[in-house]
Amino acid sequence: MIKHIVLFQLKSFDSENLKAAKIEEIKKGLLALDDKIDALLSIEVGVNCNPNEQFDIALTTTFNNMEDLEIYAKHPDHLAVGKIIREVLEARSCVDFEY
């Protein structure tokens, strides 16, 4: 099994309301992948509640193997959500591990 964890830090927004709306759009887009990508076994999206930390969104997904993670990474629906994220992305950090 593979656990894929990604942290996203978004760029500055003109208001907290605009940032919150974009975070919600990203969260909904990511969670919708669960019904669209068979290789994806589970998905969780968390929004940071600690203002002392720099990352805004945490994504945790699981796959049977690295090949399934690659299928997910190249899937058109995943790429579409990725485009939305990249438009407002400041920084990204990722780790993949077997468990």
Side-chain angles (χ1 to χ4, degrees):
M1 300 287 287
I2 301 295
K3 185 78 69 174
H4 172 68
I5 301 173
V6 185
L7 301 175
F8 301 101
Q9 179 185 13
L10 305 187
K11 295 177 182 176
S12 295
F13 284 75
D14 290 338
S15 75
E16 285 301 313
N17 286 342
L18 289 173
K19 183 175 184 178
K22 183 55 74 171
I23 288 172
E24 188 61 27
E25 177 187 1
I26 291 168
K27 181 178 178 178
K28 284 182 180 180
L30 288 168
L31 291 173
L33 297 175
D34 196 30
D35 295 329
K36 299 176 179 178
I37 304 174
D38 291 338
L40 177 59
L41 299 179
S42 70
I43 185 167
E44 288 181 282
V45 179
V47 177
N48 183 34
C49 63
N50 183 347
N52 296 318
E53 297 298 334
Q54 65 181 359
F55 288 96
D56 299 296
I57 301 169
L59 168 68
T60 304
T61 54
T62 56
F63 303 90
N64 281 319
N65 50 50
M66 289 300 291
E67 291 80 14
D68 285 353
L69 174 55
E70 189 70 19
I71 289 167
Y72 164 82
K74 293 180 178 179
H75 192 281
D77 290 312
H78 174 262
L79 295 174
V81 177
K83 183 174 186 254
I84 295 167
I85 294 169
R86 279 190 307 282
E87 292 171 354
V88 295
L89 186 63
E90 180 72 27
R92 176 186 179 274
S93 190
C94 176
V95 63
D96 301 317
F97 62 90
E98 291 185 85
Y99 69 102

